[in-house]
């Protein structure tokens, strides 16, 4: 039997790009560089999505400069478009980012580059499949106070001890790497003083001076000992991002559900920031409709 899902996803993405390509006609951002870095890993197929995400976010944040991790698929034309619209962002090919001591691939290059940059900058990780709909005052407050943040989830709206996080994960029957990894958190050295949150690494803030690459490498090495080859699976970077943010000296979980991942039963009332994961991007046409509304505002700004 032929798996039609990849074909359907390709058609849905093409329709989204067709309906939202007007973002290419919007004015370039006027960059106000104040030492804040907005970093994303970008691929060729998500170019339209990413421009809508980046411009909707910058329209509300109002400051910062862009750093783009090229996943290896960006074309010269893509780079020209990004340079025009985002104020000559710094572009880094993922292959030049060392992942020594951590898994390679997935989004590890993104996280490790973020941690390198926190030595001199507040860094905001922004996924391409996100839309900023409101004033995002909670984000601005975190930046102003140099506090890290993460996007909360239905299951993770507060920082908890790693022991409590492991106990909660024990109640989840799933075999996804994130579930398995969270069950193992109780075995970390010094677990009695460590925290965790089941957040989402698609939107997270890393305070200047809040963490280091070495902290991520040490955590990764411990998790590799506990999980062996499974730690190289997709999801290990998200667990690490959650851990890094939770153990920052000052951090917040963005208020849920004003900041959340879109679900088919989600109410959009009062929502300021949405993350559209996987197939949720194309359910009920919400993502496309909201994207086009944002493009309309950008064109009339």
């Amino acid at each position: 039997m032929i798996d039609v899902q990849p074909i359907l996803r390709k058609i849905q993405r093409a329709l989204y790009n067709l309906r939202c390509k007007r973002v290419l006609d919007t004015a370039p951002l006027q960059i106000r560089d104040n030492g804040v870095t907005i970093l994303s890993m970008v691929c060729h197929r998500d170019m339209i999505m990413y421009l809508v995400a980046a411009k909707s976010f910058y329209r509300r944040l109002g400051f910062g400069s862009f750093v783009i991790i090229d996943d290896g698929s960006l074309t010269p034309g893509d780079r020209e478009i990004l340079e025009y619209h985002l104020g000559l962002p710094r572009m880094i090919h993922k292959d030049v980012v060392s992942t020594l001591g951590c898994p390679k691939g997935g989004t590890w290059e993104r996280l490790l580059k973020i941690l390198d940059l926190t030595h001199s900058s507040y860094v905001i990780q922004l996924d391409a499949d996100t839309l900023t709909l409101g004033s995002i005052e909670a984000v601005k407050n975190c930046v102003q106070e140099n506090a890290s943040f993460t996007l909360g989830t239905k299951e993770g709206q507060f920082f908890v001890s790693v022991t409590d996080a492991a106990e909660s994960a024990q109640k989840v029957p799933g075999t996804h790497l994130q579930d398995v990894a969270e069950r193992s958190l109780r075995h970390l050295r010094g677990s009695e003083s460590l925290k965790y949150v089941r957040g989402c690494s698609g939107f997270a803030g890393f305070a200047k001076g809040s963490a280091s690459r070495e902290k991520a490498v040490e955590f990764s090495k411990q998790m590799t000992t506990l999980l062996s080859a499974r730690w190289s699976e997709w999801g290990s970077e998200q667990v690490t991002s959650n851990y890094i943010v939770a153990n920052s000296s000052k951090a917040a979980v963005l208020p849920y559900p004003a900041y959340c991942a879109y679900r088919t039963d989600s109410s959009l009332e009062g929502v300021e920031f949405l993350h559209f994961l996987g197939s949720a991007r194309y359910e009920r046409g919400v993502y496309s409709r909201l994207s086009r509304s944002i493009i309309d505002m950008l064109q009339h700004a």
Side-chain angles (χ1 to χ4, degrees), residues 70-92:
D70 177 0
D71 81 330
S73 65
L74 293 183
T75 67
D78 293 336
R79 288 174 169 258
E80 287 181 11
I81 289 170
L82 293 169
E83 289 174 355
Y84 172 77
H85 283 276
L86 304 183
L88 297 176
R90 181 183 175 192
M91 297 194 199
I92 303 168

Side-chain angles (χ1 to χ4, degrees), residues 43-113:
C43 65
H44 170 73
R45 70 180 184 183
D46 292 344
M47 278 287 295
I48 297 296
M49 288 170 47
Y50 174 64
L51 284 174
V52 177
K55 288 196 164 189
S56 70
F57 181 64
Y58 206 87
R59 175 174 175 266
R60 297 292 188 171
L61 186 68
F63 53 77
S65 60
F66 289 90
V67 171
I68 293 171
I69 306 295
D70 177 0
D71 81 330
S73 65
L74 293 183
T75 67
D78 293 336
R79 288 174 169 258
E80 287 181 11
I81 289 170
L82 293 169
E83 289 174 355
Y84 172 77
H85 283 276
L86 304 183
L88 297 176
R90 181 183 175 192
M91 297 194 199
I92 303 168
H93 196 285
K94 70 178 180 63
D95 288 347
V96 306
V97 181
S98 171
T99 61
L100 186 64
C102 298
K104 186 177 180 64
T107 50
W108 272 97
E109 289 85 357
R110 180 183 74 185
L111 176 61
L112 292 171
K113 189 60 187 180

Side-chain angles (χ1 to χ4, degrees), residues 32-38 61 63-66 121-124 143:
R32 181 180 156 217
D33 187 355
N34 66 340
V36 172
T37 299
I38 304 163
L61 186 68
F63 53 77
S65 60
F66 289 90
S121 175
Y122 189 106
V123 185
I124 298 171
V143 174

